[in-house]
Amino acid sequence: MGETIFSKIIRKEIPAQIVFENDDILAFRDINPQAPVHILIIPKTSEIESTRDIDSKKHSQLLGSLFDAANKIAKDLGVSETGFRLILNCGPDAGQEVYHLHMHLFGGRKMNWPPG
Ligand code: 5GP
């Protein structure tokens, strides 16, 4: 399905600062960080373009793994106790630019609510 810039990062065709990887998931620093810690956590499969493509029957294990990875990364990067924010943008109004499911992990600074 959808070939995106993230497919190239997964195949290591373009560089990224990887902070976590296993068979199913890759996590790397956002190229345009909005916080001291800004990580993108993505499934290696490109079959899910957006949260609206998630089917719990097919993807529940993968989604659990995304959250496991987020918790591990937050600990490893020292923001687990201070707090962090996980964001999944879905579609144009949310500002989704890359149509390969990804979770943003923000941390290392105080954040506002509601987000802009
Ligand atoms: P979205 O707006 O789709 O939720 O987020 C896409 C994110 O991907 C943006 O925060 C953007 O900075 C990041 N991004 C886009 N291209 C690249 C890239 O080539 N490398 C990295 N590391 N991040 C990227």
Side-chain angles (χ1 to χ4, degrees):
M1 282 210 206
E3 170 80 13
T4 68
I5 192 85
F6 290 174
S7 315
K8 292 193 169 67
I9 291 175
I10 291 164
R11 295 197 300 263
K12 315 272 166 72
E13 290 169 9
I14 63 169
Q17 292 182 49
I18 293 170
V19 298
F20 176 85
E21 180 167 18
N22 67 17
D23 286 348
D24 303 318
I25 288 171
L26 187 70
F28 48 94
R29 293 188 189 275
D30 196 291
I31 205 166
N32 182 22
Q34 302 301 311
V37 173
H38 184 175
I39 307 297
L40 299 171
I41 306 167
I42 69 174
K44 286 186 174 173
T45 174
S46 61
E47 75 175 61
I48 313 171
E49 294 186 352
S50 218
T51 58
R52 60 191 163 208
D53 303 313
I54 290 171
D55 175 344
S56 65
K57 287 185 206 74
K58 275 199 282 183
H59 302 131
S60 56
Q61 192 173 348
L62 185 62
L63 291 176
S65 301
L66 278 178
F67 282 94
D68 284 348
N71 286 332
K72 177 174 171 20
I73 292 161
K75 253 193 204 146
D76 291 349
L77 299 185
V79 298
S80 185
E81 296 302 321
T82 47
F84 57 95
R85 185 173 285 172
L86 299 173
I87 295 178
L88 294 108
N89 292 322
C90 179
D93 277 1
Q96 184 174 6
E97 290 171 359
V98 180
Y99 281 80
H100 179 126
L101 185 74
H102 54 280
M103 185 186 266
H104 295 256
L105 187 158
F106 290 98
R109 69 166 168 83
K110 203 96 180 144
M111 279 165 262
N112 298 322
W113 191 263

